[in-house]
Amino acid sequence: MTATKTRTIDGLIAEYAEPIAGAVGIEVDGGLTLPGFTRLLSDAADTLSPADSIREYLEDAAEALGALAYVDTDSARQAVLRKVDGLLYEANSDLELI
C-alpha cells in the first residue's frame, strides 16, 4: 500500500499560484495566504469565458478552499485539499495548452 501524500495550503500555493496567475496575466504578490490564494483563483477564473472548463476547475477549487473553514478533522481537511489539488492540476494542465 502506498502512502497518501499530505497536502498543505502552502504546498498548493507554491505549486500552482505562479503558473496559473502567469497563464491568465495576473501578477502574484509574494506571501500568499489561504484568502489571497482563493481570491487569485477567483480572479483567474473571471478572466476566462464562462463556457471554459478551466474556469469551472478554478471556481470549484476556490469554493472548496472556502469550505476549509468548516472542516473539523484532519482527514476531512486532507480530502478537501486532495480535491483542490486535482482541480488545480487539471486547470494548470489545460492552461499550459493555451
Side-chain angles (χ1 to χ4, degrees):
M1 186 168 149
T2 59
T4 303
K5 178 182 172 187
T6 300
R7 285 154 183 87
T8 64
I9 295 300
D10 290 341
L12 293 174
I13 291 169
E15 187 168 349
Y16 296 112
E18 288 285 339
I20 289 173
V24 297
I26 296 175
E27 286 198 34
V28 177
D29 295 327
L32 277 179
T33 60
L34 175 59
F37 186 47
T38 302
R39 184 71 190 150
L40 178 129
L41 297 176
S42 294
D43 289 348
D46 288 345
T47 68
L48 302 168
S49 164
D52 195 325
S53 64
I54 302 169
R55 181 180 179 137
E56 189 173 330
Y57 293 140
L58 294 172
E59 289 172 338
D60 289 351
E63 185 177 311
L65 287 172
L68 280 176
Y70 305 102
V71 174
D72 59 358
T73 66
D74 286 338
S75 62
R77 184 175 181 82
Q78 279 303 301
V80 171
L81 292 174
R82 277 192 300 276
K83 176 182 178 177
V84 170
D85 188 21
L87 290 165
L88 294 179
Y89 176 84
E90 292 298 329
N92 191 46
S93 295
D94 289 354
L95 284 167
E96 288 175 349
L97 300 174
I98 296 177

